[in-house]
Amino acid sequence: MRSHVHPGTAIRRKIRGPLLALLVGALGAAPALVAAPAAHAAESTLGAAAKQSGRYFGTAIASGRLGDSAYTTIANREFNSVTAENEMKIDATEPQRGQFNFAAGDRVYNWAVQNGKQVRGHTLAWHSQQPGWMQSLSGSNLRQAMIGHINGVMAHYKGKIVQWDVVNEAFADGNSGARRDSNLQRTGNDWIEVAFRTARAADPAAKLCYNDYNVENWTWAKTQAMYNMVRDFKSRGVPIDCVGFQSHFNSGSPYNANFRTTLQNFAALGVDVAITELDIQGASATTYANVTNDCLAVPRCLGITVWGVRDSDSWRPGDTPLLFNNNGSKKPAYTSVLNALNGGTSNPPTDGGPLKGVGSGRCVDVPNSSTTDGTQVQLYDCHGGTNQQWQSTSAGELRVYGNKCLDAGGTGAGARIQIYSCWGGDNQKWRLNSDGTVTGVQSGLCLDTASGGTANGTLIQLNSCSGGGSQRWARA
Ligand code: G3I
């Protein structure tokens, strides 16, 4: 994991802090892992409710509305992440070549940070909203302009932006699976990876995202094309950290339940995922809850951003697609999202007990009921002893004997999993995922057995997440 030595670090550590595993669904015939019931009262705002699972809930903010107190009151109360709706785009930040203007972008940034919110950056390389001078460029001149733009904007916001949408909407709609034709695309197919490499060098601390729409349905050609690009980038070491799913759902591009599969499949490539511009035509409460639960079900889903506060703030107000109506009242969709974030749809039946390996049928066990810090845990026949009872806490720990925690003795594949006195570190926090995998909060790696073993005495360690039977656990 890269080190993050910048002002955003505190914010990022904060959102990766106390984690409550939220689980939905079942794990085949085996009982799924279940989360601890919230030890705290349900939260009453979207941001606070999302934070319970280490996520954020954000909104697009338009600088022109920051003087509207009804708008800022809701935005400040409900959201803990902000995306500038238009103010960090190319036309806004570099109106003349080489002359940058961050006035509007900074208005949004400063409002967000002064109110304790993190900021997503949107967007650095895009076919749309290019200033006139850029629209007329082509070839190597345009390529250099793109690089200069990324460098100029990222230098201004260096260390301040948690996620940047480096490239936006580069794939064509429809069934071709092709890149979208644009002046940037015509500079050469490698323009996207050049943008990401430039961005990594410009601000090594920012998570670098590719962002697009109509890529939520796993069966769509555009989704597959984006997946193939990300897989290729990961295999060749192109620096990409996250994929943003805009999630502008409407009758032509409706929500489909396979969105969760899409998120899971991208996460399995080794990138984070985020829902970046959510709005839903008609704002069905059920669909909003489904989208929220899809994000909650995927450990690498960082958070959700809705594309505006009230319906009247939306880029498509006629669709009434947001969580607040024109007079600022909460809509039914608001309540369904809040309930989902609070875990109201999962109703976990238990918060402790054995962790039984789906592949082995054996339990996570402390050898010889040792209480010594540093004892590596193992697989052993499930017998219900206290050395096999793992209690989830609201902080995301898995405790045994009350005061010892399941503890990762490192952050890489092969790191030993041991018991250690609970101290609140991220290496003692775990996400219990709905597919049965258990992810270390510090490492992002999965609880696994050594060499995928199933025998008594097989040691438990961290491994890259594959979703295999040796990495799936159920409450026995
Ligand atoms: O500010 C000017 C105003 O001075 C002028 O009088 C008026 C007349 O047209 O235009 C105003 O600018 C508009 C701007 O929004 C601010 O309201 C632009 O015309 C309009 O094109 C622009 O639309 C934005 C759109 O991106 C442009 O592509 C929307 O606000 C914004 O919500 C939308 O956001 C995009 C994401 O960036 C990418 N994904 C899709 C999403 C929705 O289209």
Side-chain angles (χ1 to χ4, degrees), residues 352-356 362-371 377-378 380-391 399-402 419 475-476:
L355 288 169
K356 186 174 183 178
R362 297 197 159 91
C363 281
V364 178
D365 172 286
V366 187
N368 304 316
S369 296
S370 168
T371 57
V377 296
Q378 63 178 6
Y380 204 81
D381 293 331
C382 302
H383 53 57
T386 53
N387 64 331
Q388 295 187 350
Q389 303 296 321
W390 300 96
Q391 186 79 16
R399 290 189 175 221
V400 66
Y401 315 134
I419 58 164
R475 290 294 194 192

Side-chain angles (χ1 to χ4, degrees), residues 147-449:
I147 292 169
H149 180 77
I150 293 170
N151 282 327
V153 177
M154 291 190 83
H156 180 76
Y157 290 110
K158 188 171 183 178
K160 298 176 170 179
I161 300 291
V162 176
Q163 303 167 32
W164 262 114
D165 289 333
V166 177
V167 173
N168 199 38
E169 302 175 357
F171 285 96
D173 286 312
N175 296 322
S176 71
R179 294 280 182 85
R180 175 194 298 275
D181 180 47
S182 72
N183 60 350
L184 288 165
Q185 181 62 32
R186 290 191 292 271
T187 67
N189 207 49
D190 62 345
W191 72 278
I192 299 179
E193 60 192 86
V194 168
F196 276 90
R197 292 189 200 280
T198 304
R200 175 68 92 230
D203 184 355
K207 286 189 191 239
L208 307 180
C209 304
Y210 175 81
N211 192 53
D212 214 329
Y213 66 91
N214 286 359
V215 289
E216 295 77 18
N217 187 323
W218 177 243
T219 67
W220 285 20
K222 194 172 174 182
T223 311
Q224 294 298 311
M226 182 171 80
Y227 179 83
N228 289 334
M229 180 189 74
V230 175
R231 185 172 56 185
D232 171 53
F233 280 10
K234 292 298 288 183
S235 73
R236 291 191 295 114
V238 177
I240 183 170
D241 304 310
C242 37
V243 174
F245 297 82
Q246 293 185 9
S247 307
H248 294 293
F249 294 114
N250 57 38
S251 52
S253 178
Y255 169 80
N256 185 294
N258 67 26
F259 185 26
R260 187 176 300 192
T261 301
T262 303
L263 295 173
Q264 287 167 335
N265 286 345
F266 274 87
L269 291 177
V271 289
D272 293 328
V273 295
I275 294 170
T276 52
E277 303 180 17
L278 177 62
D279 52 21
I280 302 171
Q281 184 179 41
S284 154
T286 302
T287 308
Y288 260 106
N290 287 341
V291 173
T292 305
N293 282 321
D294 289 341
C295 179
L296 293 175
V298 179
R300 295 196 76 149
C301 184
L302 300 169
I304 299 173
T305 300
V306 288
W307 207 238
V309 178
R310 302 160 300 192
D311 287 332
S312 49
D313 303 316
S314 169
W315 65 295
R316 44 178 196 175
D319 284 354
T320 59
L322 294 173
L323 300 177
F324 296 87
N325 67 20
N326 295 356
N327 65 26
S329 299
K330 296 169 181 173
K331 295 164 61 175
Y334 170 93
T335 308
S336 73
V337 170
L338 185 66
N339 287 343
L341 293 170
N342 277 324
T345 56
S346 58
N347 191 24
T350 179
D351 64 349
L355 288 169
K356 186 174 183 178
V358 170
S360 64
R362 297 197 159 91
C363 281
V364 178
D365 172 286
V366 187
N368 304 316
S369 296
S370 168
T371 57
T372 306
D373 282 353
T375 303
Q376 189 168 4
V377 296
Q378 63 178 6
L379 274 187
Y380 204 81
D381 293 331
C382 302
H383 53 57
T386 53
N387 64 331
Q388 295 187 350
Q389 303 296 321
W390 300 96
Q391 186 79 16
S392 292
T393 73
S394 61
E397 300 158 328
L398 285 164
R399 290 189 175 221
V400 66
Y401 315 134
N403 62 352
K404 299 289 180 184
C405 276
L406 196 70
D407 175 294
T411 55
R416 56 193 283 124
I417 303 299
Q418 57 195 5
I419 58 164
Y420 208 89
S421 300
C422 300
W423 65 282
D426 282 350
N427 69 323
Q428 296 188 341
K429 291 175 184 161
W430 305 90
R431 281 197 179 122
L432 310 185
N433 307 310
S434 58
D435 65 354
T437 57
V438 177
T439 321
V441 165
Q442 183 185 52
S443 63
L445 301 184
C446 278
L447 201 65
D448 199 354
T449 59

Side-chain angles (χ1 to χ4, degrees), residues 11 14-16 18-19 22 40-59 73-82 115-118 292 296 302-306 323-324 330 334 337-342:
I11 298 168
K14 223 165 143 190
I15 66 165
R16 294 177 68 90
L19 294 170
L22 291 170
H40 43 73
E43 296 289 353
S44 60
T45 65
L46 300 171
K51 198 174 171 189
Q52 295 171 107
S53 68
R55 296 179 174 83
Y56 60 83
F57 204 99
T59 183
T73 298
I74 300 169
N76 192 19
R77 183 187 71 216
E78 296 290 342
F79 302 100
N80 53 9
S81 176
V82 160
N115 289 291
K117 302 168 198 325
Q118 67 176 72
T292 305
L296 293 175
L302 300 169
I304 299 173
T305 300
V306 288
L323 300 177
F324 296 87
K330 296 169 181 173
Y334 170 93
V337 170
L338 185 66
N339 287 343
L341 293 170
N342 277 324

